[in-house]
Amino acid sequence: MCGIVGAVAQRNVTGILIEGLKRLEYRGYDSAGVALIEQNGDLAVRKAVGKVKAMTDKVDAAPVSGTTGIAHTRWATHGKPSELNAHPHTSTHIAVVHNGIIENHGALREALKSKGYAFVSETDTEVIAHQIEDLIKQGNNLKVATQKAVAMFEGAYAIAVIDTRRPNELAACRSGSPLVLGLGIEENFVASDQMALRQVTDRFVFLEEGDFVYLTLEGYSLFNEQGEPVERPVKQLTDEHVVADKGGYRHFMLKEIFEQPAVLSRTLQGRISKTRVMEQAFGADAEKIFDQVKGVQIVACGTSYHAGLVAKYWLESIAGLPCNVEVASEYRYRRVFVSKDTLFITISQSGETADTLAALREAKKSHYLASLVICNAPNSSLVRESDLVFMTQAGPEIGVASTKAFTTQLVALQLLTIALGRRHGLAEQTEADMVGSLASLPDQIETALGLDDTIKHVSEKFADKHHALFLGRGVEYPVAMEGALKLKEISYIHAESYPAGELKHGPLALVDANMPIVAVAPNNDLMEKLKSNLEEVQARGGKLFVFSDQADAFPSSEEVTVIDVQSVPDTIAPMVYTIPLQLLSYHVAIVKGTDVDQPRNLAKSVTVE
Ligand code: G6P
């Protein structure tokens, strides 16, 4: 959450900071700001409510320059989005940007107020600025003052600090929120995501929990939580980690939906032979660990949680293993019962989601067999802290609503199901059939994308709707959940999902001509049951939108719109049926005129609790 960029260089860094913020805007976009130490030693600050563009307009109107600076794009936690609450926050000579939450800010604020510090914002961040200024007044330099201040803070945060008395220096640290150091030639940078700095360097040091870094023009010094000097590996990143542009598409989300055939191919590459899953894809120790697995606990948030719910059906019915799935924010605060030889799995596009990371750390205190992460971000915290890693190959996902990350996660989870299933009686032929279906998936997704025009047309029927119900049964129920989440995220239509059999126990009361009901209805062993559920809806005047490969089973009428999906094997139906639902939410958002890539109030990478 929130994006941080900082720079110490010999050239004017204003443009570098602003470009960094644009690349980080997916992390939060309700306000933005920049602070630079000007040549005369003054601190120049520009802030604006809204997107980075609003702030750059201010910079254009009143240009600033400096060789040392920090910048921030905000997702509000303490205090509403406003110019006063936007970062950087200052205290005389100090400017600070901050990501995360200082939990004990109230007590610190009172103590600082009693010393005469005046607060102008409602944020917890302002405490950091005054605390560091106060410690400098007591005779500490920027480095020591920041280290001492950090030791006083409780919570999870990443911060970057500059001091006009020390131009060409910058202090930064991470404790619970990601931070990366970018290395240039006689210039150095920090950011909350390497993507922000790819314009200036490809050499990075990923800070570990508790790390503190002090940047100068010549280099940097790094210290661990105990204040001891440490060295961390310098990683040279390749072009595949560079954030791409919209590639001719109107929105990142649409581009990412259409990238799915290619990224699913990439995710499968080297992970399957013609008939088998290669389990080395899960790490060198996977084979040994998988031999012992007797159960699975999955923890994730948002869309990744839905991927976990799909996997539960697969792991129990195909691999014959018990599987629990829970949202991370609940799991982390619950006393859990851990059965012997249970594999703990996290699923995360970003690898930085605070609740998921905290859940993993909690899990490590319990008696799990081992941890596995299914992740899309190399070098992320979850990747670094898990025993086994499966990297999805979705490439950078910029649209806040997750699309290609979800389908690649499903592929990863199906490969895992097969790998574990082998040890629990999954027949070789079944494995070969599943692998064959997975190999055909990119082409099947391409075919499903062909529904784009049909769905665009259908989306107009949602233009005046305020609510929608999504129904599915069996493994298609979590697919319906994901469809509902997509619609609410980007079109702001209130959408709920239900297992279709549950309709009669309450939600049927909501059904009338104003309630669109979306049904995920591939021809499987539950289709007849689903059909009866849909008849209950029709009998109450509901408007049905049925996605099915059995168009004949649901004749189109004034009340029933059938979207004809191609027939596919059951094992890949969840991925294939996800595509038209993603397209539906996209086109409804276009009809509604909402901000598709950066929907209100949301952020892509949620690194606060
Ligand atoms: C945020 C994003 C969602 C995402 C969730 C989990 O809420 O807006 O799209 O599914 O976080 O993120 P993760 O990176 O852990 O998959």
Side-chain angles (χ1 to χ4, degrees):
M1 232 66 186
C2 305
I4 291 177
V5 199
V8 173
Q10 281 171 341
R11 50 179 166 159
N12 175 16
V13 294
T14 316
I16 295 172
L17 296 177
I18 287 175
E19 176 58 27
L21 285 191
K22 286 185 188 157
R23 292 166 181 233
L24 286 181
E25 202 166 28
Y26 72 94
R27 296 180 71 90
Y29 33 79
D30 56 41
S31 50
V34 60
L36 291 135
I37 302 176
E38 292 187 304
Q39 211 172 5
N40 62 5
D42 286 350
L43 198 59
V45 180
R46 300 285 182 276
K47 300 181 189 186
V49 175
K51 297 201 174 176
V52 172
K53 172 82 174 60
M55 196 270 289
T56 57
D57 286 348
K58 285 200 167 171
V59 172
D60 290 345
V64 281
S65 76
T67 55
T68 300
I70 49 177
H72 190 261
T73 175
R74 180 169 186 248
W75 186 83
T77 55
H78 289 66
K80 61 186 177 296
S82 71
E83 213 167 303
L84 280 181
N85 287 337
H87 302 209
H89 288 281
T90 58
S91 180
T92 323
H93 301 281
I94 292 292
V96 173
V97 287
H98 162 224
N99 179 5
I101 295 172
I102 306 293
E103 285 172 351
N104 58 338
H105 72 102
L108 295 170
R109 178 185 275 254
E110 288 317 309
L112 287 160
K113 269 186 182 168
S114 67
K115 288 184 169 182
Y117 288 94
F119 283 77
V120 296
S121 79
E122 303 157 284
T123 66
D124 49 344
T125 309
E126 205 179 348
V127 162
I128 306 174
H130 290 315
Q131 193 63 66
I132 294 173
E133 179 68 36
D134 191 53
L135 285 158
I136 290 177
K137 276 199 188 127
Q138 292 169 33
N140 302 290
N141 60 28
L142 173 64
K143 175 172 166 278
V144 176
T146 308
Q147 279 174 313
K148 284 187 177 170
V150 162
M152 299 166 76
F153 301 148
E154 288 161 22
Y157 48 84
I159 62 173
V161 194
I162 53 172
D163 178 354
T164 55
R165 291 156 294 200
R166 290 186 167 264
N168 306 324
E169 295 178 21
L170 185 153
C173 70
R174 101 161 246 180
S175 178
S177 287
L179 201 67
V180 60
L181 182 61
L183 306 177
I185 297 165
E186 297 197 353
E187 53 183 22
N188 291 300
F189 311 90
V190 288
S192 39
D193 185 326
Q194 49 86 16
M195 276 204 301
L197 301 174
R198 292 310 297 267
Q199 31 148 352
V200 280
T201 185
D202 59 1
R203 292 192 309 131
F204 293 94
V205 176
F206 291 86
L207 266 57
E208 298 199 357
E209 274 307 280
D211 278 359
F212 174 90
V213 64
Y214 201 74
L215 300 190
T216 60
L217 285 177
E218 294 76 33
Y220 65 94
S221 30
L222 200 56
F223 305 86
N224 65 13
E225 204 162 8
Q226 290 70 42
E228 300 152 354
V230 278
E231 284 191 20
R232 305 274 181 231
V234 176
K235 298 209 170 163
Q236 185 120 19
L237 299 188
T238 55
D239 277 354
E240 72 183 280
H241 304 113
V242 178
V243 57
D245 57 21
K246 289 184 197 153
Y249 287 91
R250 191 167 157 199
H251 293 101
F252 278 110
M253 182 182 177
L254 191 62
K255 173 175 171 256
E256 287 158 7
I257 289 175
F258 275 86
E259 268 174 2
Q260 287 175 103
V263 300
L264 288 165
S265 257
R266 248 188 4 230
T267 300
L268 285 165
Q269 231 167 53
R271 272 84 183 260
I272 50 171
S273 69
K274 277 211 166 66
T275 54
R276 305 260 301 159
V277 169
M278 335 262 256
E279 44 193 59
Q280 305 89 298
F282 292 89
D285 295 334
E287 209 177 313
K288 210 168 62 217
I289 291 171
F290 287 178
D291 281 348
Q292 301 169 60
V293 173
K294 298 219 171 52
V296 170
Q297 170 72 58
I298 298 178
V299 170
C301 302
T303 291
S304 299
Y305 167 66
H306 292 158
L309 289 176
V310 172
K312 178 181 168 73
Y313 285 87
W314 289 339
L315 283 161
E316 299 206 331
S317 66
I318 300 172
L321 284 170
C323 172
N324 288 321
V325 189
E326 192 164 356
V327 287
S329 54
E330 284 301 311
Y331 176 89
R332 64 182 287 194
Y333 289 115
R334 203 164 67 73
R335 190 168 160 216
V336 288
F337 177 81
V338 181
S339 303
K340 195 166 178 292
D341 295 328
T342 300
L343 179 64
F344 184 82
I345 302 178
T346 54
I347 308 170
S348 176
Q349 189 284 128
S350 63
E352 299 292 353
T353 302
D355 285 322
T356 312
L357 189 55
L360 171 65
R361 289 177 182 158
E362 276 308 308
K364 284 187 163 177
K365 297 180 202 154
S366 308
H367 301 289
Y368 283 104
L369 177 62
S371 59
L372 161 68
V373 64
I374 291 169
C375 191
N376 193 41
N379 303 307
S380 60
S381 303
L382 279 167
V383 166
R384 290 205 302 267
E385 295 185 28
S386 300
D387 302 320
L388 300 177
V389 174
F390 183 100
M391 292 309 304
T392 52
Q393 301 292 336
E397 193 182 60
I398 308 298
V400 165
S402 187
T403 52
K404 59 177 182 168
F406 180 66
T407 45
T408 54
Q409 286 166 351
L410 291 183
V411 162
L413 288 160
Q414 190 160 117
L415 296 179
L416 177 72
T417 302
I418 295 171
L420 293 175
R422 268 180 198 162
R423 291 155 164 97
H424 298 270
L426 183 73
E428 254 178 54
Q429 188 53 50
T430 316
E431 170 164 356
D433 291 346
M434 288 177 72
V435 167
S437 301
L438 281 172
S440 75
L441 185 60
D443 286 344
Q444 296 287 10
I445 299 286
E446 197 74 65
T447 307
L449 287 167
L451 290 167
D452 192 40
D453 273 344
T454 312
I455 290 171
K456 201 170 176 174
H457 187 66
V458 170
S459 67
E460 281 155 23
K461 302 191 183 173
F462 285 70
D464 59 339
K465 298 291 183 276
H466 300 289
H467 307 275
L469 280 178
F470 281 66
L471 304 178
R473 290 198 73 138
V475 69
E476 305 306 335
Y477 168 47
V479 173
M481 293 171 85
E482 175 58 12
L485 177 65
K486 285 288 87 74
L487 191 70
K488 68 183 130 191
E489 277 178 315
I490 62 166
S491 73
Y492 316 149
I493 291 180
H494 170 222
E496 292 300 332
S497 50
Y498 277 93
E502 190 63 11
L503 200 62
K504 55 189 174 292
H505 298 296
L508 205 52
L510 299 171
V511 173
D512 62 16
N514 290 320
M515 175 68 90
I517 316 250
V518 177
V520 185
N523 184 14
N524 58 23
D525 53 352
L526 287 170
M527 201 192 76
E528 282 307 317
K529 304 261 175 229
L530 177 69
K531 236 178 104 190
S532 319
N533 302 141
L534 298 186
E535 272 157 23
E536 294 159 11
V537 169
Q538 256 185 291
R540 272 93 186 161
K543 293 263 185 293
L544 276 174
F545 296 85
V546 186
F547 292 81
S548 180
D549 53 350
Q550 294 294 299
D552 297 349
F554 306 92
S556 288
S557 67
E558 185 69 358
E559 272 69 46
V560 184
T561 306
V562 181
I563 296 97
D564 204 351
V565 183
Q566 81 267 25
S567 233
V568 293
D570 283 357
T571 50
I572 58 167
M575 293 77 135
V576 172
Y577 278 76
T578 294
I579 304 300
L581 298 183
Q582 292 172 345
L583 289 169
L584 179 69
S585 64
Y586 176 78
H587 288 299
V588 174
I590 296 295
V591 172
K592 292 255 175 191
T594 50
D595 188 339
V596 171
D597 283 335
Q598 295 178 338
R600 69 183 182 204
N601 305 341
L602 301 180
K604 180 101 193 125
S605 183
V606 185
T607 54
V608 292
E609 217 189 311

